[in-house]
Amino acid sequence: MSITIHALSHSYGADTPVLQGIDLRIKKGSLFGLLGPNGAGKTTLVSILNTLVKKDSGRVEVCGYDLDSQVQKVKACSGYVPQGYAFYPQLNARENLEFFAALHGLQGARMRRRIEYAIEATALEQKALQRAYTYSGGLKRRLNIAIGLLNDPRVLYLDEPTVGIDPQSRHYILEVIKKINRRKQTTIVYTSHYMEEIEYLCDEVAILDGGKVLLQSSVSELTKAGRAATLTLSGQPAQACEGVRYEKRRAYVDLSRGYDTLRRFLNLLEKERIEVLDMQSGRGDLEQFFLQVTSERLRDG
Amino acid sequence: MMLGYIVKKEFTLIFRDIHALLVLFVMPTLFILIMSLALHDSYSQKMEVKFQVALLENGEEQPLAYTMLMQKLRQSGTFHFQSVKSESSLKELLYQKGYDFAVAFPADFKQRLQNDRESFRARFFARSDVSPRQMALLKGLYSTNVSKVLLEQVLGSLGVSAAENDIGDRIESRYVYKQNDKGAKPTSVQQSVPAWLVFSMFFILIPISNTFINEKRLGTIERIRSIDVSLWPILFGKFLPYFVINQIQVVLMIAVGYFLVPLLGGDRLQIAGNPLHIALMAAAVSFASICFALLIANISKTTEEATSIGGVSNIILAALGGIMVPKFVMPEFMQEVTEYSPMAWALQGFLELFTRAGGLSDIAADAGKLLLFGIISLLLSFYILQKGSR
Ligand SMILES: Nc1ncnc2c1ncn2[C@@H]1O[C@H](COP(=O)(O)OP(=O)(O)OP(=O)(O)O)[C@@H](O)[C@H]1O
Ligand SMILES: [Mg+2]
């Protein structure tokens, strides 16, 4: 395991719990998607893993190091790419990289090698000597990622690295990330609002909403599900039913192996005297699923 | 090594910030030039600005006493006297013909003067925008010279030559300095160089808040914090470049006063004090201004906010601190208020060294206050930063 999180909770001030009992296991070398709407707590979770925010409770291990007692080791194996353009717009890419490399304690040939790698991995060669404020959105995003590679991290956190750029640049960045993951078996933790990005990029996903993990699953398993039905119920069934997942008063029925599951579930509802208020079915792609599981309340943005 | 890159980065950012460069270097240079030249005459003995005085003529005859009085009045550097036939009205003279003053004598003035009879009234008129101080000066000039003429008449009638009795010629004046008597005369440049130097040093606020707030806003600080690097090189790397910039300002503004101002016809800046003491004072001012800038950068959310909060507070501190209006022309209660502006401490310290030839003991109190001010600002910023990142 690259990262294990157990019963992690955090709140900003007494009345605003942001993370409530998070449990996650992220495999070494995996491309892990952290999906959630605005305010779900993605940035907070990533900040905790990067030792920027102190958690209230829970146990976390990163690369086998304990987050509380081995902070320096955790920092050394982590690369963090913040949500904003966290560099100096008045400096060019190379100057930015030099500065952050120096902060990592790099110098001389080692510094040069790491910088070359970061530039090459993010394909910044053409614009390395141009000041960053002149860059397009996609290029800025790539520089942002490049800086995160300088310490040759075993885990790279990317907080919404495709916000505000066009589809072509977005696709390019996803390719860059795949390449980084493949070349050095770097574990990638990737946060996003977009299901389709995660579907394309990741092999494992966790859906975060309201500070809780609604689901952790492999992406292939989720998409394999094929058809699915979503039922809105008058109450939540007390009994479990194979092939059906409950989320409060919503149930998601796997239809990939025919309608047996649905029939069994409807029987169960009958027994428990629960009414079906609404039923929808369709291709169970992740986007739809994501919308379904998180549509309980309206978001801010 | 790491520190080198941190310092290099900060310097690069400053030198690519055109607004900061304008405010830090061009603005004070212009202020020093303008103020030194503009106030040149209000400090110097020979005034180049002349006030025009119209003497309203009555009668053609020119008795000796009257000619003598005119002669004496015309020797004054400040006023330019001209006899005017009183055809034009008073208002015309003052508002259209370019006179600042008009003096009207009684009809029998010339005879009375000639016959040493003092009991006559002269009426002085001034344009409404002329300062009362100039009016007083003119009246003083007039009355001493009338007395002189009358005295000379009396002495002349007793057969004594009055030429050597001019008291003014027998006054010797000299400025006294605290430590050495190298003699820097109080000229306008002596006041304007330290004043605008202090003002511009406090504007280090602009680049500091620009970089710091952008670091906060863009998440660069978070990124730096996520790296395993100790606080000290970061802090030191932030301090050192701005400190160096402040010292460059000191050298540059002294050079402006020494080379540029005289080139444009002003007085040359003279430095009476010890250069080492000036460097110490400059260090204290720099410390205070950087810490103050960090505080402002900390309490502001946007660079616009920092620029306006910082700019306005700097201007208020400057107005209170005797930067814009020299402290010695302020009324007493304002001079007391001045005691609470860090810019006033900075200016007093520099003036001690620049013009009064003071030593270490003379700047100790002001430098100490500046250091204290800096430390308090710094502690406040740390406190705010801690609270924010909880
Ligand atoms: N420093 C803070 N102080 C107080 N509340 C905060 C702070 N940072 C975040 N929050 C709150 O915590 C919740 C989770 O925020 P977080 O930034 O982790 O969400 P997110 O999933 O990253 O959202 P987004 O998709 O908009 O980036 C939000 O309700 C937010 O308002
Ligand atoms: Mg976020």
Side-chain angles (χ1 to χ4, degrees):
Chain A
M1 281 298 139
S2 181
I3 302 173
T4 50
I5 301 172
H6 179 68
L8 168 64
S9 292
H10 180 75
S11 59
Y12 294 106
D15 327 320
T16 48
V18 177
L19 298 175
Q20 309 175 40
I22 303 284
D23 284 296
L24 280 179
R25 295 162 70 78
I26 299 176
K27 286 195 214 79
K28 215 176 194 165
S30 69
L31 272 158
F32 190 90
L34 200 56
L35 188 65
N38 287 125
K42 303 181 295 294
T43 299
T44 305
L45 178 56
V46 169
S47 302
I48 289 173
L49 296 178
N50 279 291
T51 71
L52 296 174
V53 173
K54 271 210 156 55
K55 61 181 164 55
D56 291 346
S57 60
R59 240 188 28 248
V60 177
E61 271 186 18
V62 179
C63 308
Y65 302 118
D66 183 64
L67 187 66
D68 297 319
S69 57
Q70 296 171 294
V71 178
Q72 289 177 332
K73 292 243 165 74
V74 170
K75 283 186 180 206
C77 75
S78 312
Y80 174 48
V81 178
Q83 197 166 347
Y85 297 128
F87 49 77
Y88 298 95
Q90 294 295 335
L91 302 184
N92 64 35
R94 196 168 277 281
E95 290 165 335
N96 269 298
L97 288 164
E98 272 178 3
F99 170 70
F100 286 103
L103 290 192
H104 281 296
L106 295 168
Q107 48 181 305
R110 244 157 72 90
M111 176 193 258
R112 276 198 300 280
R113 264 204 317 279
R114 294 277 177 85
I115 290 176
E116 289 322 316
Y117 169 68
I119 287 180
E120 190 249 89
T122 54
L124 276 173
E125 294 93 342
Q126 299 285 314
K127 305 272 181 151
L129 295 180
Q130 215 166 304
R131 294 197 196 161
Y133 72 86
T134 65
Y135 290 0
S136 66
L139 219 53
K140 284 182 184 160
R141 286 286 164 204
R142 268 142 65 195
L143 174 56
N144 212 25
I145 295 174
I147 297 169
L149 297 175
L150 286 168
N151 62 330
D152 199 12
R154 283 193 269 159
V155 188
L156 181 64
Y157 300 90
L158 299 158
D159 197 357
E160 296 185 31
T162 58
V163 166
I165 58 179
D166 60 45
Q168 288 85 343
S169 312
R170 181 195 288 193
H171 181 77
Y172 193 80
I173 285 183
L174 295 181
E175 291 306 314
V176 164
I177 295 169
K178 274 189 173 174
K179 197 169 70 180
I180 293 167
N181 168 257
R182 269 199 307 269
R183 270 171 61 164
K184 297 197 171 182
Q185 289 300 297
T186 311
T187 306
I188 307 277
V189 177
Y190 184 100
T191 85
S192 177
H193 301 147
Y194 303 113
M195 194 73 216
E196 92 251 15
E197 275 188 358
I198 296 214
E199 198 173 344
Y200 176 77
L201 179 75
C202 299
D203 39 45
E204 184 93 13
V205 61
I207 296 178
L208 195 67
D209 190 29
K212 288 185 179 144
V213 176
L214 299 188
L215 158 135
Q216 180 179 359
S217 155
S218 82
V219 171
S220 58
E221 207 169 280
L222 269 186
T223 41
K224 227 183 355 196
R227 291 176 62 76
T230 307
L231 284 69
T232 309
L233 309 171
S234 61
Q236 185 171 335
Q239 224 182 308
C241 179
E242 206 198 321
V244 183
R245 201 167 37 246
Y246 308 137
E247 187 57 47
K248 291 180 186 160
R249 289 167 49 217
R250 236 170 251 267
Y252 306 95
V253 184
D254 180 6
L255 299 181
S256 54
R257 274 158 285 161
Y259 289 90
D260 266 5
T261 317
L262 183 60
R263 223 169 280 133
R264 261 188 296 117
F265 183 55
L266 289 174
N267 281 336
L268 182 135
L269 290 180
E270 188 119 58
K271 248 187 278 166
E272 297 205 12
R273 295 186 188 287
I274 292 170
E275 282 178 55
V276 177
L277 304 176
D278 183 36
M279 179 165 140
Q280 288 174 355
S281 70
R283 205 183 87 80
D285 68 14
L286 291 179
E287 188 75 52
Q288 204 181 350
F289 179 69
F290 174 49
L291 284 175
Q292 283 164 355
V293 285
T294 58
S295 67
E296 295 283 287
R297 56 199 164 85
L298 200 63
R299 313 288 151 205
D300 38 296
Chain B
M1 188 65 196
M2 183 195 294
L3 191 62
Y5 278 100
I6 296 175
V7 169
K8 180 183 160 203
K9 172 217 97 189
E10 210 77 29
F11 266 125
T12 316
L13 290 178
I14 301 169
F15 283 108
R16 287 180 188 173
D17 183 349
I18 184 79
H19 294 120
L21 294 182
L22 284 175
V23 169
L24 292 177
F25 297 110
V26 180
M27 178 190 77
T29 304
L30 288 178
F31 268 130
I32 288 174
L33 288 179
I34 293 169
M35 295 304 171
S36 299
L37 298 177
L39 297 175
H40 180 255
D41 287 343
S42 70
Y43 280 87
S44 100
Q45 256 113 349
K46 64 168 198 337
M47 299 252 181
E48 272 164 21
V49 181
K50 289 224 182 6
F51 290 88
Q52 301 292 332
V53 184
L55 296 171
L56 303 179
E57 273 289 358
N58 46 0
E60 293 294 322
E61 82 269 44
Q62 299 284 323
L64 180 65
Y66 183 71
T67 348
M68 273 167 60
L69 177 64
M70 285 303 117
Q71 205 182 330
K72 286 191 193 302
L73 288 178
R74 287 196 171 116
Q75 279 169 358
S76 117
T78 318
F79 298 95
H80 190 260
F81 293 89
Q82 220 165 348
S83 298
V84 171
K85 296 267 180 324
S86 47
E87 287 142 9
S88 359
S89 79
L90 212 51
K91 287 190 182 173
E92 264 179 332
L93 283 174
L94 294 178
Y95 287 100
Q96 282 160 29
K97 303 229 159 130
Y99 290 99
D100 302 291
F101 296 95
V103 183
F105 300 112
D108 55 352
F109 171 68
K110 288 178 182 171
Q111 285 74 30
R112 280 170 174 264
L113 189 67
Q114 185 67 25
N115 302 330
D116 49 345
R117 289 224 294 275
E118 255 181 283
S119 54
F120 47 78
R121 292 172 65 86
R123 285 178 299 156
F124 283 69
F125 305 97
R127 216 180 44 239
S128 62
D129 56 356
V130 169
S131 97
R133 186 182 293 221
Q134 295 300 333
M135 175 68 111
L137 210 62
L138 178 62
K139 285 201 281 196
L141 186 75
Y142 166 79
S143 47
T144 43
N145 281 305
V146 166
S147 312
K148 251 195 231 170
V149 169
L150 290 174
L151 184 66
E152 277 171 30
Q153 300 285 83
V154 174
L155 292 175
S157 67
L158 295 175
V160 181
S161 165
E164 291 142 38
N165 279 320
D166 194 334
I167 299 167
D169 290 345
R170 285 193 276 147
I171 295 175
E172 189 191 309
S173 64
R174 191 167 70 82
Y175 291 103
V176 178
Y177 297 86
K178 281 196 168 159
Q179 298 215 331
N180 52 26
D181 266 0
K182 268 190 273 167
K185 272 203 248 94
T187 59
S188 56
V189 70
Q190 298 296 121
Q191 162 82 18
S192 61
V193 168
W196 298 106
L197 170 62
V198 166
F199 188 60
S200 66
M201 283 175 83
F202 272 82
F203 269 93
I204 198 74
L205 177 114
I206 300 285
I208 289 185
S209 54
N210 275 351
T211 46
F212 191 70
I213 289 170
N214 277 333
E215 281 174 337
K216 266 201 300 195
R217 192 173 55 88
L218 297 172
T220 322
I221 291 210
E222 304 275 270
R223 174 165 244 156
I224 293 172
R225 289 207 303 132
S226 80
I227 297 170
D228 180 23
V229 53
S230 78
L231 183 66
W232 292 110
I234 304 267
L235 212 60
F236 194 64
K238 274 227 162 298
F239 233 92
L240 187 70
Y242 297 107
F243 187 80
V244 171
I245 295 281
N246 271 161
Q247 305 314 309
I248 295 175
Q249 287 180 297
V250 174
V251 174
L252 214 66
M253 294 312 131
I254 288 178
V256 167
Y258 194 82
F259 297 109
L260 207 53
V261 173
L263 217 59
L264 296 177
D267 294 296
R268 181 179 292 259
L269 175 72
Q270 288 162 297
I271 297 168
N274 183 332
L276 183 71
H277 297 165
I278 293 178
L280 283 176
M281 192 64 209
V285 178
S286 184
F287 179 75
S289 71
I290 293 173
C291 295
F292 182 61
L294 284 175
L295 178 62
I296 297 287
N298 249 312
I299 59 176
S300 317
K301 295 217 160 42
T302 62
T303 50
E304 289 78 13
E305 206 176 298
T307 313
S308 48
I309 296 179
V312 168
S313 57
N314 268 0
I315 287 168
I316 291 174
L317 288 183
L320 287 180
I323 303 285
M324 304 197 166
V325 178
K327 186 177 162 185
F328 60 79
V329 307
M330 291 183 184
E332 206 161 313
F333 83 96
M334 280 304 290
Q335 294 202 10
E336 272 170 39
V337 173
T338 297
E339 284 305 311
Y340 298 97
S341 168
M343 284 200 201
W345 309 330
L347 180 58
Q348 279 162 29
F350 276 134
L351 283 176
E352 282 291 341
L353 300 173
F354 277 58
T355 48
R356 295 197 270 271
L360 270 187
S361 57
D362 299 303
I363 59 168
D366 286 320
K369 280 191 240 175
L370 285 166
L371 291 180
L372 199 66
F373 173 77
I375 290 169
I376 291 172
S377 303
L378 204 59
L379 290 178
L380 267 176
S381 338
F382 274 135
Y383 175 69
I384 292 166
L385 211 59
Q386 285 286 303
K387 241 177 60 176
S389 75
R390 202 207 76 82

